[in-house]
Amino acid sequence: MIAIIDYKAGNLFSVKNAFDKLGVDTVITSDVDVIKKADKLLLPGVGAFENAMNHLRELKLDHVIVDEVKSGKPFLGICLGMQLLFNSSEEYGYHEGLNILEGKIIHFDFNNVGATHCEHAPKIPHMGWNSITNCAGSKLFSDLENQFVYFVHSYHLVTDNKEYKQIITNYGYDFCSAIEYKNIFATQFHPEKSGEVGLSILRTFANI
């Protein structure tokens, strides 16, 4: 059983529908006991970082997520659900995250060193299909080098931790579009909106 965590900020039913197509047993829940009993956890997310963290705290889900992830339970974060894993976000100010992984969430900055210099900077938000690279050696993405997945976001992760496996996408410059570390998997893109490639990612996660 995969528990899809309901914290008032997720694209819950599109995620569940994707797993239903795969014949994978899931439940949408904000019940702490159900989350603790689940075999795997999934944290979806659409919306603002600060609001999402407030909802997690109000529902008393922040501590149970941290505890269950640290116990070794397989975990998948999607989009905002990925961003919340890290130390902080600069979205509309400074906001602390779950502090499960090291890193911060920043706005796309096309003035960065290494950014593509062109007459017109890429549009924000980064919306639509883009490819993923650096997939070799990963558990979820090893067969998906240069495959296309679906994005909708204006902020992305930066981390200096070399122990994390980072999947890379280029949008003006290279950024981390997915990450793996031990039992933790997270994608900035939406597997549930990424066709057969996304379904293959969800299938692999379900089989871990």
Side-chain angles (χ1 to χ4, degrees), residues 6-8 30 32 54-62:
D6 180 3
Y7 63 110
K8 304 178 183 178
S30 56
V32 169
N54 288 339
H55 290 155
L56 287 174
R57 294 183 184 112
E58 289 166 4
L59 294 167
K60 303 187 187 309
L61 295 174
D62 51 339

Side-chain angles (χ1 to χ4, degrees), residues 104-150:
K104 61 183 179 180
I105 308 304
I106 68 166
H107 196 276
F108 274 103
D109 180 4
F110 299 112
N111 294 316
N112 266 337
V113 174
T116 300
H117 294 287
C118 54
E119 184 178 352
H120 300 290
K123 293 181 179 179
I124 298 298
H126 172 211
M127 181 181 298
W129 297 86
N130 206 339
S131 61
I132 54 176
T133 62
N134 197 43
C135 297
S138 77
K139 295 180 181 178
L140 290 192
F141 313 103
S142 60
D143 297 327
L144 300 176
E145 185 75 14
N146 294 316
Q147 294 296 310
F148 281 75
V149 291
Y150 191 82

Side-chain angles (χ1 to χ4, degrees), residues 3-198:
I4 302 172
I5 299 172
D6 180 3
Y7 63 110
K8 304 178 183 178
N11 47 326
L12 302 167
F13 293 100
S14 58
V15 173
K16 180 168 177 45
N17 288 341
F19 280 112
D20 288 346
K21 288 181 181 179
L22 298 171
V24 175
D25 193 16
T26 63
V27 59
I28 295 172
T29 185
S30 56
D31 187 306
V32 169
D33 290 332
V34 173
I35 291 169
K36 288 181 177 179
K37 291 176 183 177
D39 301 309
K40 300 179 178 71
L41 302 180
L42 189 148
L43 188 68
V46 173
F49 190 100
E50 180 184 19
N51 290 341
M53 280 303 305
N54 288 339
H55 290 155
L56 287 174
R57 294 183 184 112
E58 289 166 4
L59 294 167
K60 303 187 187 309
L61 295 174
D62 51 339
H63 293 301
V64 69
I65 291 171
V66 172
D67 290 344
E68 292 300 296
V69 172
K70 288 185 176 179
S71 77
K73 184 173 292 186
F75 176 96
L76 175 61
I78 295 176
C79 197
L80 181 58
M82 171 182 173
Q83 296 180 2
L84 294 168
L85 293 171
F86 293 88
N87 302 123
S88 66
S89 172
E90 67 175 30
E91 184 178 8
Y92 305 117
Y94 174 87
H95 307 289
E96 188 172 346
L98 291 169
N99 287 301
I100 294 173
L101 296 177
E102 299 172 358
K104 61 183 179 180
I105 308 304
I106 68 166
H107 196 276
F108 274 103
D109 180 4
F110 299 112
N111 294 316
N112 266 337
V113 174
T116 300
H117 294 287
C118 54
E119 184 178 352
H120 300 290
K123 293 181 179 179
I124 298 298
H126 172 211
M127 181 181 298
W129 297 86
N130 206 339
S131 61
I132 54 176
T133 62
N134 197 43
C135 297
S138 77
K139 295 180 181 178
L140 290 192
F141 313 103
S142 60
D143 297 327
L144 300 176
E145 185 75 14
N146 294 316
Q147 294 296 310
F148 281 75
V149 291
Y150 191 82
F151 291 86
V152 183
H153 66 119
S154 300
Y155 295 80
H156 67 83
L157 168 68
V158 290
T159 179
D160 294 326
N161 193 314
K162 304 302 182 184
E163 295 184 32
Y164 302 158
K165 172 63 178 177
Q166 295 189 47
I167 305 305
I168 302 300
T169 293
N170 185 278
Y171 192 66
Y173 54 87
D174 288 347
F175 71 94
C176 177
S177 57
I179 201 160
E180 296 183 1
Y181 179 65
K182 297 181 179 179
N183 57 305
I184 303 171
F185 308 88
T187 66
Q188 181 60 66
F189 56 85
H190 289 272
E192 77 282 5
K193 297 180 180 180
S194 298
E196 290 301 320
V197 172

